[in-house]
Amino acid sequence: MKTLEARLKPLMIAGLDGEAAQWRVFLTVLRPALHAYFQRRQFHGDADVEDLVQDALLAIHSKRETWRRADPVTSWCFTIARYKLIDHLRKTGRARLVPLVDDIPADDNDVEEGAVRQDLERLLATAPARQRTLIRDVRIEGYSLAEAGERAGMTEGAAKVSLHRAMKALMKRVGDHEH
């Protein structure tokens, strides 16, 4: 059985090269994967999920020329889907904290993992090195504030303040990027 990436990439390339039939197949193959992605993250009914799928497919269609052929197509698609989900949650008044790392399994074949990791790495790269290390240690690696502070050469209190400021700045960047 081919992975989703192996099925989609040639279809995307053919679609970009002007083969309309292949582009329709691309959207048809992608649709169930997007539906499953949104279904796992929505708890308010299938109408929201279907709206999100349609929004994501439309965005993917309209932005397809921005995809770089050397990049994985699934990561690109699920990055767009993630932003559509965040926009939807904000618009419907059901905004909640969207974690920096989704609750995805560490399976190398998981099509969402690459998109989440790319988002996370891009976002973390905007933080100063010391704050980036604290975020990784506490929020990703699971160190306590005391342990992370010790590793960074600061007190637990200083680590707590620095981590809070770093997370606040990152969330602001995410919010600014969304608008």
Side-chain angles (χ1 to χ4, degrees):
M1 177 183 215
K2 282 185 167 181
T3 65
L4 186 60
E5 178 70 22
R7 289 180 69 202
L8 287 177
K9 195 163 189 173
L11 294 169
M12 175 70 148
I13 291 170
L16 288 174
D17 290 342
E19 296 181 37
Q22 295 300 305
W23 181 247
R24 284 190 296 280
V25 173
F26 172 87
L27 295 173
T28 302
V29 170
L30 179 59
R31 181 182 206 27
L34 288 173
H35 191 276
Y37 173 83
F38 291 125
Q39 188 69 47
R40 285 192 303 271
R41 288 159 180 80
Q42 279 292 335
F43 308 102
H44 303 288
D46 284 336
D48 283 352
V49 171
E50 191 54 38
D51 288 347
L52 284 163
V53 170
Q54 291 299 321
D55 287 349
L57 287 173
L58 186 60
I60 288 164
H61 177 76
S62 66
K63 297 175 191 229
R64 67 186 181 273
E65 296 294 332
T66 66
W67 175 67
R68 293 182 306 246
R69 292 175 187 236
D71 292 345
V73 72
T74 51
S75 296
W76 181 80
C77 290
F78 284 100
T79 298
I80 291 172
R82 180 175 167 81
Y83 287 127
K84 289 297 174 185
L85 176 62
I86 292 168
D87 287 346
H88 176 77
L89 291 171
R90 285 186 179 145
K91 287 177 189 172
T92 59
R94 290 178 281 185
R96 60 180 183 202
L97 178 62
V98 176
L100 288 176
V101 179
D102 273 340
D103 56 344
I104 55 176
D107 178 3
D108 288 339
N109 293 326
D110 192 306
V111 296
E112 299 170 39
E113 184 175 4
V116 173
R117 289 196 190 284
Q118 280 182 337
D119 285 349
L120 178 61
E121 291 306 319
R122 266 188 245 128
L123 186 60
L124 285 178
T126 66
R130 197 169 193 181
Q131 288 181 343
R132 186 170 48 243
T133 300
L134 277 174
I135 292 169
R136 282 187 197 281
D137 285 353
V138 175
R139 301 289 186 186
I140 299 171
E141 299 298 325
Y143 287 98
S144 70
L145 280 168
E147 293 167 328
E150 185 178 320
R151 289 169 52 96
M154 57 177 67
T155 66
E156 180 179 354
K160 183 177 182 178
V161 169
S162 183
L163 179 63
H164 174 76
R165 288 179 180 160
M167 293 301 293
K168 188 175 178 180
L170 289 180
M171 294 309 292
K172 182 178 181 338
R173 284 186 201 107
V174 168
D176 291 346
H177 177 73
E178 298 288 312
H179 293 77

